[in-house]
Amino acid sequence: MKRLANALDSALPAAASNRRTALDAHAAPEPRRSDPDAPVDAQGDVDCAYCGNKRFVLDARGELKPCPQCDTAQRWKLAALAPFSSRSALSSRQTFLNFKTRFNGVEDETLVDCLESAEAFANNPFGRWLVIWGERGSGKSHLCAAVDNHLTQAGIPSLFITMPDLLASLREAIDLQSNTEQESFTGRMNIFKTATVLIIDDLGAEPSSPWSDSVLFEILDYRYRNRLATMIATNVNPDDFDYRIASRMQDTELSLVIENAAPDYRRRPLSEKR
């Protein structure tokens, strides 16, 4: 009996130790303490020592900004905007260099002013608005595309979209009734409201309605209050828009408004189109 008791006494601690080992194996691992400044894996993109592959860096005010060295975050933004863009084979070829400013052999001062204003906006769009209005065929769409192409080449995310395409995209989101962030109505509105540079062409091309006016006001009001770079081309006199929209479009502290009274490009001599 004494030998049996001794055997049990020696077995109990071993069994307890085994149980503790088994429990320890299933216990939650201790949280890993990682260095927030340590670099991360590049995950297929360019390896960047400047941001440690995080793609964002803190500026002097402590705000996150896309890394200026690898430029990966900016390219992500450009790719995210692509599905909503009105870019086409024609617009991708429209630049400042091939914008024609002559009509019947004479330099048109209005077209020169519009070109120079569009170039100035493209070179420094931040915190500024540019509104060009005039009759159809006066080159407004060409300048919108030229600004978009310039910004894209500079790596600055810009969204070039016609107002009919913008409204159609929002109607589609309503019809889809999607719960995904980007495909929802709210998600798409946020893209238009917060795009780094928003270029709206053909504003006023669709008949006005309470819904479309509400959409336009929500987008422009957000961009106005946050001083986000915006370019607008329209064949409607800004005075003829809803007062709330017209007032924001014509705020002289923010926006430059130019009337393009040039003749219809489509009617110019063929020699001046080349």
Side-chain angles (χ1 to χ4, degrees), residues 73-107:
Q74 292 289 71
R75 289 188 281 109
W76 287 344
K77 288 184 178 181
L78 286 171
L81 294 174
F84 303 97
S85 175
S86 296
R87 288 176 63 88
S88 64
L90 174 62
S91 67
S92 64
R93 298 193 300 269
Q94 292 175 319
T95 67
F96 296 130
L97 291 177
N98 58 28
F99 182 76
K100 307 299 182 182
T101 58
R102 299 178 69 84
F103 188 79
N104 288 333
V106 178
E107 196 80 359

Side-chain angles (χ1 to χ4, degrees), residues 61 65-66 71 74 77-78 117-130 147 150-152 154-159 194-199 223-224 226-231 253-255:
R61 294 183 297 180
K65 300 293 183 184
D71 210 31
Q74 292 289 71
K77 288 184 178 181
L78 286 171
S117 298
E119 287 179 314
F121 177 82
N123 288 325
N124 182 23
F126 303 109
R128 303 173 61 193
W129 282 26
L130 175 63
V147 170
H150 178 92
L151 294 173
T152 300
I156 298 174
S158 66
L159 176 54
T194 64
T196 303
V197 182
L198 180 64
I199 304 169
R223 301 188 68 81
Y224 174 83
N226 291 279
R227 294 301 194 256
L228 296 177
T230 307
M231 180 178 180
E253 289 185 0
L254 173 69
S255 181

Side-chain angles (χ1 to χ4, degrees), residues 19-223:
R19 284 196 299 272
R20 284 196 300 271
T21 303
L23 289 173
D24 290 343
H26 292 87
E30 291 187 8
R32 296 175 59 189
R33 292 188 174 90
S34 60
D35 180 1
D37 296 324
V40 297
D41 293 337
Q43 297 182 349
D45 283 299
V46 60
D47 193 67
C48 180
Y50 187 82
C51 66
N53 298 330
K54 295 176 182 177
R55 310 312 179 194
F56 290 89
V57 294
L58 289 174
D59 65 9
R61 294 183 297 180
E63 297 178 355
L64 281 177
K65 300 293 183 184
C67 175
Q69 295 294 323
C70 64
D71 210 31
T72 301
Q74 292 289 71
R75 289 188 281 109
W76 287 344
K77 288 184 178 181
L78 286 171
L81 294 174
F84 303 97
S85 175
S86 296
R87 288 176 63 88
S88 64
L90 174 62
S91 67
S92 64
R93 298 193 300 269
Q94 292 175 319
T95 67
F96 296 130
L97 291 177
N98 58 28
F99 182 76
K100 307 299 182 182
T101 58
R102 299 178 69 84
F103 188 79
N104 288 333
V106 178
E107 196 80 359
D108 189 291
E109 293 183 6
T110 299
L111 291 173
V112 173
D113 288 344
C114 289
L115 174 60
E116 291 177 349
S117 298
E119 287 179 314
F121 177 82
N123 288 325
N124 182 23
F126 303 109
R128 303 173 61 193
W129 282 26
L130 175 63
V131 179
I132 301 179
W133 70 280
E135 294 298 324
R136 295 177 178 84
S138 57
K140 302 184 301 298
S141 295
H142 185 128
L143 290 175
C144 285
V147 170
D148 181 49
N149 290 327
H150 178 92
L151 294 173
T152 300
Q153 289 295 320
I156 298 174
S158 66
L159 176 54
F160 168 47
I161 188 168
T162 67
M163 194 61 192
D165 283 351
L166 187 154
L167 295 175
S169 172
L170 293 174
R171 292 192 189 99
E172 179 187 55
I174 294 173
D175 293 338
L176 287 173
Q177 296 182 346
S178 173
N179 292 322
T180 62
E181 181 178 353
Q182 183 167 301
E183 292 302 320
S184 69
F185 177 87
T186 301
R188 292 192 179 187
M189 277 292 286
N190 285 338
I191 288 174
F192 303 136
K193 287 162 64 174
T194 64
T196 303
V197 182
L198 180 64
I199 304 169
I200 303 178
D201 191 19
D202 284 339
L203 182 60
E206 285 200 350
S208 176
S209 71
W211 179 76
S212 64
D213 288 347
S214 174
V215 164
L216 179 61
F217 175 75
E218 184 176 345
I219 293 171
L220 294 186
D221 179 60
Y222 182 93
R223 301 188 68 81

